[in-house]
Amino acid sequence: MKCPPTSRAELAQLAMMLEVTAYPKPGNVDRCHDYEDTRLEHFLASVIACRPTLDVVGRGELSIGAAIYDAVVRTNCHLGGNTHFGAFILLMPLIAGGDIPGALRLIKETTVHDAVLFYQAFAETQVRVIESDGLDVNDPDSIEQIRRDQLTLLDVMAYSAPKDMICREWVEGFPLTRRFADRLHDAGGGAKAISPLFIGLMAKEMDTFIAKKFNAEVAEEAMAMAQEVLGGRRTVESMDEECIRRGINPGSLADITIAGIYLALTEGWQWDR
Amino acid sequence: MKCPPTSRAELAQLAMMLEVTAYPKPGNVDRCHDYEDTRLEHFLASVIACRPTLDVVGRGELSIGAAIYDAVVRTNCHLGGNTHFGAFILLMPLIAGGDIPGALRLIKETTVHDAVLFYQAFAETQVRVIESDGLDVNDPDSIEQIRRDQLTLLDVMAYSAPKDMICREWVEGFPLTRRFADRLHDAGGGAKAISPLFIGLMAKEMDTFIAKKFNAEVAEEAMAMAQEVLGGRRTVESMDEECIRRGINPGSLADITIAGIYLALTEGWQWDR
């Protein structure tokens, strides 16, 4: 019995599933703990709910802005809040484009309409994605400004890139996504590699979600904690406990992890070893 | 922003996801433990992989036998073995028929071709579904016999019903599925109800998967353990530990739990409370 080829949509869902079940992942929802309002089942329900969007994107039938909007609408229906907004920003161009160069071609082609749809999507969520002085998600005037200044979705991302590592991936060509995928290839297969690579990423890159939720000092503290874990000066359990207690969840690094797993899967990385 | 209506295919996936993440579930893979060869990710990968089949079944475009065959092919590709065979047997008629009466109408209409496809499906797996003297899954002559005797898939299920509670659901009109759904409604919403209801089911119904894997005595022992847990004479942890150590996994009751959750979801039960 031959296995049917796995679609890009399914690989993206596998990446989302493997990220959220990876354990331990200090500060984030993982297999062994929840936040009070957001539980493992919420993440997995989102993984299931976005499939129709991913299918259409995989066939190249939806613009990037429309794809993000559609996925957010579909995954915003449970009570766990939006769980994959940042992941969708990274995944959609990668799925539609096939690889990083393809994604960057599509990103360059994004339009003002994509930017408007993107703003409309996250106006409905409570996600800290873009908070800058010029363009405020919660301000309806922002959409007016996008139209007036004819900003494309890439323009919006470039505007936010200094403070947001997800936007930076768009602008700089997915360097962290690429690196995470490379590390997975180096590890030689098996989902068990995800957790240590995630902690390695935390030690090296400041999570901009934490910086927005708290401030840069707290984000740097989280980095330092991960460095202590890697250096054997602290247990991962104690780091996890402190992060959870203080609500320090590296959400943007989780999104980059999803994109990295997805990229690796498209390149033949085997999760099931 | 309005949530799009949730398709039957998606409700079935949610049911599979909620069953496997429910915790504690003595003896079975759950959120907090794996078997060596079959892990949480394998179950969740199957949940993701069967979506195309469920979509087609939800549109009524596939016969029951073909639906089970197609789902088994799609979910048999990871290394964790087949994880949802029994669940598909229950889900496919429920999805295609819309409710139990609709499922039973379709079950009565199953053909010899459905029976052949069903046998071809599980000839490829290593599932203890039907082991009887007359029709042996591993014996190619069985398919000959099905054709010669013109057995429909319902005939095959009726033949195996005395020893298999999944087949019994087909023949007797889904009584355990119905009861599990009713208990979920009684519990008033929230995925947390699943684990105690599962243990209640274990205490009341002998798992025929365990009976086939070991014998009826071991299956009765598992029932007795669940009764002790419900009676407060044993901790669920110690039951879980003993089941896992001895490989006593109530797989058929897990399948019925999935079908019960699915039925409840189609009737408006809210998992997300």
Side-chain angles (χ1 to χ4, degrees), chain A residues 50 53 67-77 82 84-85 88 92 120-122 124-125, chain B residues 1:
Chain A
C50 68
T53 313
I68 294 168
Y69 181 83
D70 196 59
V72 168
V73 171
R74 286 183 185 277
T75 57
N76 209 24
C77 297
N82 196 287
H84 289 106
F85 194 95
F88 292 140
M92 295 309 180
Q120 287 175 340
F122 72 58
E124 305 275 353
T125 70
Chain B
M1 183 159 47

Side-chain angles (χ1 to χ4, degrees), chain A residues 127-133 135-138 160 163 212:
Chain A
V127 182
R128 287 177 188 83
V129 177
I130 298 182
E131 285 175 8
S132 56
D133 298 328
L135 292 162
D136 184 344
V137 217
N138 300 310
S160 306
K163 288 185 178 175
K212 288 180 197 175

Side-chain angles (χ1 to χ4, degrees), chain B residues 40-118:
Chain B
L40 180 68
E41 301 99 286
H42 290 124
F43 281 86
L44 293 170
S46 280
V47 172
I48 293 169
C50 68
R51 175 65 175 254
T53 313
L54 300 180
D55 278 336
V56 179
V57 173
R59 294 197 301 267
E61 293 170 6
L62 214 53
S63 79
I64 304 299
I68 295 169
Y69 182 82
D70 197 57
V72 168
V73 170
R74 285 183 186 277
T75 57
N76 209 23
C77 297
H78 54 65
L79 302 177
N82 195 287
T83 42
H84 289 106
F85 193 95
F88 292 140
I89 297 174
L90 297 174
L91 285 173
M92 295 310 179
L94 288 170
I95 296 171
D99 53 15
I100 290 179
L104 294 175
R105 271 193 301 277
L106 293 174
I107 281 172
K108 273 190 196 152
E109 293 169 7
T110 57
T111 63
V112 175
H113 186 58
D114 285 314
V116 169
L117 280 168
F118 179 75

Side-chain angles (χ1 to χ4, degrees), chain A residues 3 31 42 73 77 79 272, chain B residues 1 3 31 42 77 79 272:
Chain A
C3 296
R31 181 160 171 176
H42 291 125
V73 171
C77 297
L79 303 176
D272 184 20
Chain B
M1 183 159 47
C3 296
R31 181 161 171 176
H42 290 124
C77 297
L79 302 177
D272 185 19

